[in-house]
Amino acid sequence: MLDTLTEFALARRWLILVLALALAGFGVRAFQQLPIDAFPDVSTTQVKLILKAPGMTPEEVEARIAQPVETELLGIPHQTVLRSLSKNALVDITVDFEEGTDIYWARQQVSERFANAKSDLPDNVSGGLAPISTPLSELFMFTVEGPLSLAEKRTLLDWTIRPQLRALPGVADVNALGGRVATFAVSPDPVALAARGVTLGELRAALEANTRKAGAGRVNEGEETWVVRVDAGVASLDSLRRIGVKAVGPTVVTVGDVASVEMGELTRYGAVTQNGRGEAVEGLVIGLKGVNAGLLIENVKARLAEIEATLPKGVSLSPFYDRAQLVDRAVGTVSTALLEAAVLVVVLLLLFLGNLRAAVVVALILPLSVLATFVLMRQFGLSANLMSLGGLAIAIGLLVDAAVVVVENVVAHLAHDAETTGGTRQQRVLWAVQEVSVPVASGIAIIAIVFLPLLTLEGLEGKLFAPVALTIVFALAASLLLALTAIPVLASVLLKRAAHEDPWLLRRARALYEPLLDRSLARPKRVYAAAALLMVAAVAVYPTIGKTFMPVMDEGDILVQLEKLPSISLEAAVAQDLRVQQALLKNVPEIRRIVARAGADELGLDPMSLNDTDSFLVLKPVSEWRKRDKAWLTDEIRKVVDGFPGIAYNFTQPIDMRVSEMLTGSRGDVAIKIFGPDLATLNRLAAQIFQVVEKVPGASDVYTPQNAGVQYLQAEIDRDAAARFGLSADEVGLLLRTQLEGEVIGTIQQQGRRVPLQLRGPQALRESPDALQAIRLTLADGREISLDQVVRLKRTTGPVAVKRENAARFTVVQSNVAGRDLVSFVGDAQRAVAREVKLPPGYHLAWGGQFENQQRAAERLMIVVPVALLLIGFLLYVTFGNAAQALLVMMNVPLALIGGIFALAASGEYLSVPASVGFIALLGIAVLNGVVLVSHFNQLRAQGIKGDAVVREGALRRLRPVLMTASIAAFGLVPLLFATGPGSEIQRPLAIVVIGGLVSATLLTLVMLPLLYRQFILKGARA
């Protein structure tokens, strides 16, 4: 079939050339249409329920909302994890599903189960399914700047900017943060209510009944129809004040008689601060799952530019996070490496082939293979990102292998066949390609097989490295097809008959290799001893190499998480954040801007407490830093924050933080979850584990949430007294919630905006517990009592939040790791915790975070890599028809590992998933070189050559393809070795392993394999 394919191509050369040009055109078009992002979509199929319950404490939220909903959600098919986070007035419930579960089916299942549980929830619970977003969905953040009040900025964001951005295709939502949400606030005056005999319920009913507009039907007049509209709404504070509440004799009591009516604000659960100057208003654009991030951000910027032109004078929109910048830098890093690698490969081709035309023919396979890969990526739904383009960078040195073998053989036939066999140039090209088509196809198949284990990885590592494997397989398949069709056609057109002589580089290599080979054949025991010594050294060095999951990609900016005392008020938290920002800007000039968010966001996607702050540090270009070192800069920031006692902190990055939260529900390299029923015991155990882990060498930013210390005024109802006054517990609770939290009882249309109408007690009640205790209540029968006659306020403390996973309570201790590898750190920490912390019955630990990912990836690779080696061994057996020769070629695998291990140890890098991928790539290249040598040895034996002449002549004749394969693959990765942009941290360990392994594999293959072939295949014959 392969011969027929080449014969067809050469018989229709111009058709093949036209198809090649068409392929290039389709490739360019496909690349333009590829979604572009910094990373592949690493999110699981995840559905969030965000429910709000104003006024409820965390334990009330857990008992009355989280538990009933969890009970209903448990047991949904394909569910893997069910987590909930109950906080003051809010619960965030997350359901994770198995990989491959349709997101819309999952949302439908959660929605149906939630509908079943809704009747058991309190009446004031609101909310539902969160937008279809992922940890990578936070694409663009900006603040509203200008001479407006916080309420005016928030109104502008809510009603002018947000609706226009939400209309863009691909936008899941626009989160509005900070500022003050304006309301029509009605604050009852207890004295006035009592004096006029009006109850709070009557005031509420009057407001609800007089703030709605409704249609009444139609009235005909002649041939026309009039639509009757009942205008019962209000549009101003005065019209609201004039609403009648109750008639007392001839006098009508209005809202203005018994309450203060003014513009107010909804209760705030969070705030945004900026640059130490004051509060700000922030907009956050959230993209849909699977959206083309680059295109969406471009559309967002264009729409914001249009909106900005219509804003009031002096008002502007100031971006501080733009994912497109990270995308451009990350994709630019690997694109530059790809281009540099291509240039190096072309130079090496010219040096090894010594023929400009031949080098051009071989080099043309690079752009054609890459463009064909783009077509396949588009077809299979892959995006152009750091990992998929990184796969191309890895494969760039492998793409020319097939073309090199084909063109080298064509050059040889064109030089010699005319003298011996005759035939046209086209026929000689066909004969040359047919000679090598089967070994070329086998070699490409072997390389493709070694990357198949990457497709079996699970979780985060699977989502990251499956695109790598797919793009490599796509590119190799395209290069094989082109090598058997387009390359022979180009060779028949461009190559001329020329003297077939070795170029200078190969002559120099042969001059060095020939005496080395002769000495090795003369003294094989020394070579075996040296190889064994290197193997023993590699085995000894391997345990000293640290192990981790993934190198941390430098996203550019820094996110500092601050935690203050649990009992802190929002106002005090804002003041503390401003002081920290002022100190950072004063002492760390590398920081250009700081935007910080305290408390919960508007949508509830990030339900932090009032004492939690995420500070986004926008950094100046690295060229303006005092020292170009991110670790040093982090230490400088740490020194400043250490100057604020009582503040715990942690360093992370925007995407890194969200991915960690998605995977484990917490942040950090290591997350130690403590499960158990009692919150106080969980807090005590967390504090003990915190103290133990903090002492483990390598522990950095160890943190456990302060989950106790929130101050509560517990209202204990005297049920007998309440019954005597005709009050129920629910009525007392509603009264307190209305006076403190406020109750939204309607909306008022104002210039196209829907402004909440809120019934809420005066500010003085929220400033003093004594004032609250003394509040006066008017009963339905007109009697007046004080709150302390039915309620006693008791000071107590409680939890900040209640976390649950699969219906069990838990808390977490998290830690980053610095200065050592992850696996050894976790091992030391586990032994220390087991030795010093005794768990009560019913409590247990779970170690997660990046460590959990590393363990899962290592276990999977331990299974699939041997399977891949067995497949390669089977393919070699089929190729050679001889088990001994197949085993001989497989001996190249440990020879390749030697250099990879030494290179990894010398560089100081850890054995991570990228480094493991490097070892996998080594397998294919090392086995391919063995196939090249052994195949030629067999050919020489078939020609009647015997003894040392077989291995000596065979090794010398195949020196060029072996050196070309190894050097082109190695030099193709050199740009990744020296790259410095975002993402280079992930690619560098892979490049180090492959380059180091190729050095040992090539050297030992050229020396050891001839000796082994002579020893075991020729049975030691030297004649």
Side-chain angles (χ1 to χ4, degrees), residues 821-855:
D821 68 290
L822 177 64
V823 174
S824 66
F825 170 82
V826 172
D828 290 348
Q830 287 177 329
R831 287 187 288 272
V833 169
R835 183 175 60 252
E836 299 184 31
V837 179
K838 304 303 179 186
L839 298 179
Y843 293 79
H844 68 277
L845 303 181
W847 295 73
Q850 301 285 27
F851 168 73
E852 183 181 13
N853 300 330
Q854 189 276 336
Q855 294 289 291

Side-chain angles (χ1 to χ4, degrees), residues 545-843:
I545 299 175
K547 299 175 182 63
T548 189
F549 175 59
M550 289 274 290
V552 178
M553 191 188 87
D554 181 8
E555 299 176 30
D557 297 317
I558 295 175
L559 199 151
V560 182
Q561 299 167 307
L562 306 178
E563 186 187 43
K564 299 168 281 291
L565 292 176
S567 59
I568 196 170
S569 66
L570 179 61
E571 291 73 18
V574 166
Q576 184 77 292
D577 289 342
L578 291 174
R579 287 193 292 270
V580 172
Q581 293 167 23
Q582 291 164 2
L584 286 172
L585 290 171
K586 178 181 178 182
N587 295 285
V588 187
E590 288 77 9
I591 300 174
R592 179 165 57 87
R593 185 180 180 189
I594 302 176
V595 180
R597 182 177 76 239
D601 62 317
E602 183 76 6
L603 296 180
L605 294 176
D606 191 14
M608 299 190 300
S609 301
L610 295 181
N611 64 322
D612 292 329
T613 299
D614 283 347
S615 300
F616 197 101
L617 276 53
V618 182
L619 305 178
K620 294 178 180 177
V622 178
S623 58
E624 299 180 25
W625 293 9
R626 291 169 291 171
K627 184 177 180 181
R628 299 188 180 189
D629 185 346
K630 190 76 170 286
W632 167 84
L633 181 60
T634 302
D635 287 337
E636 292 296 299
I637 296 170
R638 185 177 283 110
K639 291 175 185 176
V640 175
V641 183
D642 282 338
F644 292 85
I647 293 183
Y649 59 86
N650 184 40
F651 289 90
T652 184
Q653 301 177 101
I655 295 177
D656 188 33
M657 174 184 72
R658 295 301 181 206
V659 171
S660 297
E661 288 178 341
M662 174 197 73
L663 295 174
T664 65
S666 58
R667 307 163 179 179
D669 293 339
V670 182
I672 309 166
K673 293 181 179 178
I674 309 123
F675 290 88
D678 181 63
L679 290 177
T681 304
L682 288 174
N683 293 338
R684 177 177 58 79
L685 292 173
Q688 292 177 5
I689 293 174
F690 173 88
Q691 293 174 354
V692 173
V693 172
E694 196 175 31
K695 299 174 184 176
V696 177
S700 173
D701 305 326
V702 183
Y703 166 78
T704 185
Q706 299 184 51
N707 200 34
V710 176
Q711 297 184 15
Y712 290 97
L713 279 177
Q714 185 170 319
E716 296 182 345
I717 300 174
D718 184 337
R719 295 185 180 274
D720 292 337
R724 286 196 299 271
F725 293 120
L727 293 172
S728 66
D730 281 347
E731 287 174 325
V732 175
L734 178 60
L735 166 72
L736 288 172
R737 187 164 63 249
T738 300
Q739 294 286 352
L740 298 176
E741 177 75 20
E743 181 184 4
V744 176
I745 57 176
T747 56
I748 295 176
Q749 297 286 339
Q750 188 180 53
Q751 299 175 349
R753 296 183 287 112
R754 293 169 57 84
V755 182
L757 173 61
Q758 185 182 43
L759 188 62
R760 191 179 188 186
Q763 181 66 29
L765 292 178
R766 294 184 291 278
E767 300 293 339
S768 168
D770 293 336
L772 178 63
Q773 185 82 62
I775 190 174
R776 308 296 294 177
L777 308 179
T778 301
L779 304 179
D781 58 8
R783 287 184 295 166
E784 180 184 352
I785 63 173
S786 63
L787 181 65
D788 58 9
Q789 291 181 258
V790 291
V791 170
R792 183 171 67 91
L793 297 180
K794 178 182 177 183
R795 295 177 184 268
T796 184
T797 60
V800 177
V802 181
K803 293 182 178 181
R804 296 166 62 87
E805 185 171 295
N806 294 332
R809 284 178 168 181
F810 78 96
T811 189
V812 67
V813 177
Q814 64 192 44
S815 173
N816 292 329
V817 181
R820 66 180 298 187
D821 68 290
L822 177 64
V823 174
S824 66
F825 170 82
V826 172
D828 290 348
Q830 287 177 329
R831 287 187 288 272
V833 169
R835 183 175 60 252
E836 299 184 31
V837 179
K838 304 303 179 186
L839 298 179
Y843 293 79

Side-chain angles (χ1 to χ4, degrees), residues 923-941:
L923 303 182
I925 302 170
V927 169
L928 183 60
N929 281 339
V931 170
V932 170
L933 278 180
V934 172
S935 297
H936 197 60
F937 293 161
N938 291 338
Q939 291 174 8
L940 294 178
R941 287 178 64 200

Side-chain angles (χ1 to χ4, degrees), residues 22 101 134 145 158 242 266 326 338 358 382 385 412 454 475 483 500 590 665 690-691 715 810 838 849 860 885 915 1017:
T101 305
T134 73
E145 306 292 339
D158 283 338
R242 292 196 296 270
L266 289 179
L326 176 62
L338 193 59
L382 297 181
N385 54 63
L454 298 185
H500 188 57
E590 288 77 9
F690 173 88
Q691 293 174 354
F810 78 96
K838 304 303 179 186
R860 178 52 61 100
Q885 292 186 10
I1017 306 301

Side-chain angles (χ1 to χ4, degrees), residues 446 872 876 889-890 892-893 922-931:
I446 287 172
I872 293 173
L876 290 173
V889 173
M890 292 295 288
N892 276 13
V893 171
L922 270 179
L923 303 182
I925 302 170
V927 169
L928 183 60
N929 281 339
V931 170

